[in-house]
Amino acid sequence: MSKFTWFSGRGPALTQLQLQRRGKLAEPCALDERPLQQQRLVILDLETSGLNMRRDQVLSIGAVVIDNGAIDLSQQFECTLQRLDHQASASTLIHGIAPSEIANGEEPAEALLSFMEFVGDSPLLAFHAEFDQRMLARALKQSLGYRLRHAFFDVAEIAPLVCPKANLPHAGLDDWTAHFGLQVQQRHHASADALVTAELALILFSKARQQQLDSLPALLQQLNSRRRQRAHSM
């Protein structure tokens, strides 16, 4: 048996063990009416080589878990992906990951398999989630031939929805952390950003419950309604 299995076209080459692991990845769970405090949620942050979602690459992944209404520090994920052709750029000044660290990182297929095993069937949260979702989906497709179908929630959308009086409609993560007085250990570091995003999410979930938005479907319904209102006002 060959060590590698080649997919047609420009698909990735994976070992038999990697194929088996990919085949065992959990199907994403359907959103249900359980209270937010009973959900397992994975809070994700990516550091990338740039902001071009078609060209740039995922360099590191950081994630923490909210489970039973609290951040479970026993469930954390952190990984730097190997990119042999990576060179220092303007983005290096932001994320601070040295080219040598990236060259010695974990092979992308292994890193991404480990991350999706960590995620399991849980929904994902991120700040400005569209970027993380699209970058992760492209990395998974390129390295694993895997289609990402997990639900994503954007903390940057939830915040103004449940805190309209904050008057921060287009605020960034720094603005919201300052608004709630949260301490950030290290900005533009995937694990640190994931942790502070999780802290912010817990505050927002508490406010959501006070507004009878105590499930993921209820939150999604209100987010969709807000999107439609904004689209009609443009």
Coordinates of all heavy atoms in Angstrom, one line a residue, residues 139-192:
A139 N -8.1 26.6 4.0 CA -7.0 25.8 4.4 C -7.4 24.3 4.5 O -6.6 23.4 4.1 CB -6.5 26.3 5.8
L140 N -8.6 24.1 5.0 CA -9.0 22.7 5.2 C -9.2 22.0 3.8 O -8.9 20.9 3.6 CB -10.3 22.6 5.9 CG -10.2 22.9 7.4 CD1 -11.6 23.2 8.0 CD2 -9.6 21.8 8.2
K141 N -9.7 22.8 2.9 CA -9.9 22.3 1.5 C -8.6 22.0 0.8 O -8.4 20.9 0.2 CB -10.7 23.2 0.7 CG -11.1 22.7 -0.7 CD -11.9 23.7 -1.5 CE -12.2 23.2 -2.9 NZ -13.0 24.2 -3.7
Q142 N -7.7 22.9 1.0 CA -6.4 22.7 0.3 C -5.5 21.6 0.9 O -4.9 20.8 0.2 CB -5.6 24.0 0.4 CG -6.1 25.1 -0.5 CD -5.3 26.4 -0.4 OE1 -4.6 26.6 0.5 NE2 -5.5 27.3 -1.4
S143 N -5.5 21.5 2.2 CA -4.6 20.5 2.9 C -5.3 19.2 3.2 O -4.6 18.2 3.3 CB -4.2 21.1 4.2 OG -3.3 22.3 4.0
L144 N -6.6 19.2 3.3 CA -7.3 17.9 3.6 C -8.4 17.5 2.6 O -8.9 16.4 2.8 CB -8.0 18.0 5.0 CG -7.1 18.2 6.2 CD1 -7.9 18.4 7.5 CD2 -6.1 17.1 6.4
G145 N -8.7 18.3 1.7 CA -9.9 18.0 0.9 C -11.1 17.9 1.7 O -12.0 17.1 1.4
Y146 N -11.2 18.7 2.7 CA -12.4 18.7 3.7 C -13.2 19.9 3.6 O -12.6 21.0 3.5 CB -11.8 18.5 5.1 CG -12.8 18.5 6.2 CD1 -13.4 17.4 6.6 CD2 -13.2 19.7 6.8 CE1 -14.4 17.4 7.7 CE2 -14.1 19.8 7.9 CZ -14.7 18.6 8.3 OH -15.6 18.6 9.3
R147 N -14.5 19.8 3.6 CA -15.4 20.9 3.5 C -15.9 21.3 4.8 O -16.6 20.5 5.5 CB -16.6 20.6 2.5 CG -17.5 21.8 2.3 CD -18.4 21.6 1.1 NE -19.4 20.6 1.4 CZ -20.6 20.8 2.0 NH1 -21.0 22.1 2.2 NH2 -21.5 19.8 2.2
L148 N -15.6 22.5 5.3 CA -16.1 23.0 6.6 C -17.6 23.3 6.5 O -18.0 24.1 5.7 CB -15.3 24.2 6.9 CG -15.6 24.9 8.3 CD1 -15.2 24.0 9.4 CD2 -14.9 26.2 8.4
R149 N -18.3 22.7 7.5 CA -19.8 22.9 7.5 C -20.2 23.3 8.9 O -21.4 23.4 9.1 CB -20.5 21.7 7.0 CG -20.3 21.4 5.5 CD -21.0 20.1 5.1 NE -20.5 18.9 5.7 CZ -21.1 18.2 6.6 NH1 -22.3 18.5 7.1 NH2 -20.5 17.1 7.1
H150 N -19.3 23.5 9.8 CA -19.7 23.9 11.2 C -20.3 25.3 11.2 O -19.9 26.2 10.4 CB -18.5 23.9 12.1 CG -18.0 22.5 12.4 ND1 -17.5 21.7 11.4 CD2 -17.9 21.8 13.5 CE1 -17.2 20.5 11.9 NE2 -17.4 20.6 13.2
A151 N -21.2 25.5 12.1 CA -21.8 26.9 12.3 C -20.8 27.8 12.9 O -20.0 27.4 13.8 CB -23.0 26.8 13.2
F152 N -20.8 29.0 12.4 CA -19.9 30.1 12.9 C -20.8 31.2 13.4 O -21.7 31.6 12.7 CB -19.0 30.6 11.8 CG -17.6 30.1 11.8 CD1 -17.3 28.9 11.2 CD2 -16.6 30.8 12.3 CE1 -16.0 28.4 11.2 CE2 -15.3 30.4 12.3 CZ -15.0 29.1 11.7
F153 N -20.4 31.8 14.6 CA -21.1 32.9 15.1 C -20.0 34.0 15.3 O -18.9 33.8 15.7 CB -21.7 32.6 16.4 CG -23.0 31.9 16.3 CD1 -23.0 30.5 16.2 CD2 -24.2 32.5 16.3 CE1 -24.1 29.8 16.0 CE2 -25.4 31.8 16.2 CZ -25.4 30.4 16.0
D154 N -20.4 35.3 14.9 CA -19.5 36.4 15.0 C -19.7 37.2 16.2 O -20.8 37.8 16.4 CB -19.7 37.3 13.7 CG -18.6 38.3 13.5 OD1 -17.8 38.5 14.5 OD2 -18.6 38.9 12.5
V155 N -18.7 37.2 17.1 CA -18.8 38.0 18.3 C -18.9 39.5 18.0 O -19.6 40.2 18.8 CB -17.6 37.7 19.3 CG1 -17.6 38.5 20.5 CG2 -17.6 36.2 19.6
A156 N -18.3 39.9 16.9 CA -18.4 41.3 16.5 C -19.8 41.7 16.1 O -20.2 42.9 16.2 CB -17.5 41.6 15.4
E157 N -20.7 40.7 15.7 CA -22.1 41.0 15.5 C -22.9 40.9 16.7 O -23.9 41.6 16.9 CB -22.6 40.0 14.4 CG -22.4 40.3 13.0 CD -23.2 39.4 12.1 OE1 -23.1 38.2 12.2 OE2 -24.0 40.0 11.3
I158 N -22.6 39.9 17.6 CA -23.4 39.7 18.8 C -23.3 40.9 19.7 O -24.3 41.3 20.3 CB -23.0 38.4 19.5 CG1 -23.2 37.2 18.6 CG2 -23.7 38.2 20.8 CD1 -22.6 35.9 19.1
A159 N -22.1 41.5 19.8 CA -21.9 42.6 20.8 C -22.8 43.7 20.6 O -23.5 44.1 21.5 CB -20.4 43.0 20.7
P160 N -22.9 44.4 19.4 CA -23.8 45.5 19.2 C -25.3 45.1 19.3 O -26.1 45.9 19.6 CB -23.4 46.1 17.9 CG -22.8 45.0 17.1 CD -22.1 44.2 18.2
L161 N -25.6 43.8 19.0 CA -26.9 43.3 19.1 C -27.5 43.4 20.5 O -28.6 43.8 20.8 CB -27.0 41.9 18.5 CG -28.4 41.2 18.7 CD1 -29.4 41.8 17.8 CD2 -28.3 39.7 18.4
V162 N -26.7 42.9 21.4 CA -27.1 42.8 22.8 C -26.7 44.0 23.7 O -27.1 44.1 24.8 CB -26.6 41.4 23.5 CG1 -27.2 40.2 22.7 CG2 -25.1 41.4 23.6
C163 N -25.8 44.8 23.1 CA -25.4 46.0 23.8 C -25.5 47.3 23.0 O -24.6 48.0 22.7 CB -23.9 45.9 24.2 SG -23.5 44.5 25.2
P164 N -26.8 47.5 22.5 CA -27.0 48.7 21.6 C -26.6 50.0 22.3 O -26.2 51.0 21.6 CB -28.4 48.6 21.3 CG -29.1 47.9 22.4 CD -28.0 46.9 22.9
K165 N -26.7 50.1 23.6 CA -26.5 51.4 24.3 C -25.0 51.7 24.3 O -24.6 52.8 24.7 CB -27.1 51.4 25.7 CG -28.6 51.4 25.7 CD -29.1 51.4 27.1 CE -30.7 51.4 27.1 NZ -31.2 51.4 28.4
A166 N -24.1 50.7 24.0 CA -22.7 51.0 24.0 C -22.3 51.9 22.9 O -21.2 52.5 22.9 CB -21.9 49.6 23.9
N167 N -23.1 52.0 21.9 CA -22.9 52.8 20.7 C -21.5 52.5 20.1 O -20.7 53.4 19.8 CB -23.0 54.3 21.1 CG -23.1 55.2 19.9 OD1 -23.6 54.8 18.9 ND2 -22.7 56.5 20.0
L168 N -21.3 51.3 19.9 CA -20.1 50.8 19.2 C -20.4 49.9 18.0 O -20.1 48.7 18.0 CB -19.2 50.1 20.2 CG -18.6 50.9 21.4 CD1 -17.9 49.9 22.4 CD2 -17.6 51.9 20.9
P169 N -21.1 50.5 17.0 CA -21.7 49.6 15.9 C -20.6 48.9 15.1 O -20.9 47.9 14.5 CB -22.5 50.6 15.1 CG -21.9 51.9 15.4 CD -21.4 51.9 16.8
H170 N -19.4 49.6 14.9 CA -18.4 49.0 14.0 C -17.1 48.8 14.8 O -16.0 49.0 14.2 CB -18.2 49.9 12.8 CG -19.5 50.2 12.1 ND1 -20.2 49.2 11.4 CD2 -20.2 51.3 11.9 CE1 -21.3 49.7 10.8 NE2 -21.3 51.0 11.1
A171 N -17.2 48.5 16.0 CA -16.0 48.4 16.9 C -15.2 47.2 16.7 O -15.7 46.1 16.3 CB -16.4 48.5 18.4
G172 N -13.9 47.3 17.0 CA -13.0 46.1 16.9 C -12.9 45.5 18.2 O -13.5 45.9 19.2
L173 N -12.1 44.4 18.3 CA -11.9 43.7 19.5 C -11.3 44.6 20.6 O -11.8 44.5 21.8 CB -11.0 42.5 19.3 CG -10.8 41.5 20.5 CD1 -12.1 41.0 21.0 CD2 -9.8 40.4 20.1
D174 N -10.4 45.4 20.3 CA -9.8 46.3 21.3 C -10.9 47.2 21.9 O -10.9 47.5 23.1 CB -8.7 47.2 20.7 CG -7.5 46.3 20.4 OD1 -7.2 45.3 21.0 OD2 -6.7 46.7 19.4
D175 N -11.8 47.7 21.1 CA -12.8 48.6 21.6 C -13.8 47.9 22.6 O -14.1 48.5 23.6 CB -13.7 49.2 20.4 CG -12.8 49.9 19.4 OD1 -12.2 50.9 19.8 OD2 -12.8 49.5 18.2
W176 N -14.2 46.7 22.2 CA -15.1 46.0 23.1 C -14.4 45.5 24.4 O -15.0 45.5 25.5 CB -15.7 44.8 22.4 CG -16.8 45.2 21.5 CD1 -16.8 45.3 20.1 CD2 -18.1 45.7 21.8 NE1 -17.9 45.7 19.6 CE2 -18.8 46.0 20.6 CE3 -18.7 45.9 23.1 CZ2 -20.1 46.5 20.6 CZ3 -20.0 46.4 23.1 CH2 -20.7 46.7 21.8
T177 N -13.1 45.1 24.3 CA -12.4 44.7 25.5 C -12.2 45.9 26.4 O -12.3 45.8 27.7 CB -11.1 44.0 25.2 OG1 -10.3 44.9 24.4 CG2 -11.2 42.7 24.5
A178 N -11.9 47.1 25.9 CA -11.8 48.3 26.7 C -13.1 48.7 27.3 O -13.2 49.1 28.4 CB -11.3 49.4 25.8
H179 N -14.2 48.5 26.5 CA -15.6 48.9 27.0 C -15.9 48.1 28.3 O -16.5 48.6 29.2 CB -16.6 48.6 25.9 CG -18.0 48.9 26.3 ND1 -18.5 50.2 26.5 CD2 -19.0 48.0 26.6 CE1 -19.8 50.1 26.8 NE2 -20.1 48.8 27.0
F180 N -15.5 46.8 28.3 CA -15.9 46.0 29.4 C -14.7 45.8 30.4 O -14.8 45.1 31.4 CB -16.3 44.6 29.0 CG -17.7 44.6 28.3 CD1 -17.8 44.3 26.9 CD2 -18.8 44.8 29.0 CE1 -19.0 44.3 26.3 CE2 -20.0 44.8 28.4 CZ -20.2 44.6 27.1
G181 N -13.6 46.5 30.2 CA -12.5 46.5 31.1 C -11.8 45.2 31.2 O -11.2 44.8 32.2
L182 N -11.7 44.5 30.1 CA -11.0 43.2 30.0 C -9.5 43.4 29.8 O -9.1 44.3 29.1 CB -11.6 42.3 28.9 CG -13.1 41.9 29.0 CD1 -13.6 41.2 27.8 CD2 -13.3 41.0 30.3
Q183 N -8.7 42.5 30.4 CA -7.3 42.6 30.2 C -6.9 41.6 29.1 O -7.2 40.4 29.1 CB -6.6 42.2 31.5 CG -7.0 43.1 32.7 CD -6.5 44.5 32.4 OE1 -5.3 44.8 32.0 NE2 -7.3 45.5 32.7
V184 N -6.1 42.1 28.2 CA -5.6 41.3 27.1 C -4.1 41.1 27.3 O -3.3 42.0 27.4 CB -5.8 42.0 25.7 CG1 -5.3 41.1 24.6 CG2 -7.2 42.5 25.6
Q185 N -3.7 39.8 27.4 CA -2.3 39.4 27.6 C -1.4 39.8 26.5 O -0.3 40.4 26.7 CB -2.2 37.9 27.9 CG -2.9 37.5 29.2 CD -2.7 36.0 29.4 OE1 -2.2 35.3 28.5 NE2 -3.0 35.5 30.6
Q186 N -1.8 39.6 25.3 CA -1.0 39.8 24.1 C -1.9 39.9 22.9 O -2.4 38.8 22.4 CB 0.1 38.7 23.9 CG 1.1 39.0 22.8 CD 2.1 37.9 22.7 OE1 2.1 37.0 23.5 NE2 2.9 38.0 21.7
R187 N -2.0 41.0 22.3 CA -2.9 41.2 21.1 C -2.1 40.6 19.9 O -0.9 40.6 19.8 CB -3.2 42.6 20.8 CG -4.4 43.1 21.7 CD -5.7 42.5 21.3 NE -6.3 43.1 20.1 CZ -6.5 42.6 19.0 NH1 -6.2 41.3 18.8 NH2 -7.1 43.2 18.0
H188 N -2.9 40.1 18.9 CA -2.4 39.5 17.7 C -1.6 38.3 18.0 O -0.6 38.0 17.2 CB -1.7 40.5 16.8 CG -2.5 41.7 16.5 ND1 -3.6 41.6 15.6 CD2 -2.4 43.0 16.8 CE1 -4.2 42.8 15.5 NE2 -3.5 43.7 16.2
H189 N -2.0 37.6 19.0 CA -1.4 36.3 19.3 C -2.6 35.4 19.4 O -3.6 35.6 20.1 CB -0.7 36.2 20.6 CG -0.1 34.9 21.0 ND1 -0.8 33.9 21.6 CD2 1.2 34.4 20.8 CE1 0.0 32.9 21.8 NE2 1.2 33.1 21.3
A190 N -2.7 34.3 18.6 CA -3.9 33.5 18.4 C -4.5 33.1 19.7 O -5.7 33.2 19.9 CB -3.6 32.4 17.4
S191 N -3.8 32.5 20.6 CA -4.3 31.9 21.8 C -4.8 33.0 22.7 O -5.9 32.9 23.3 CB -3.3 31.0 22.5 OG -3.0 29.9 21.7
A192 N -4.1 34.1 22.8 CA -4.5 35.2 23.7 C -5.7 35.9 23.2 O -6.6 36.2 23.9 CB -3.3 36.2 23.8

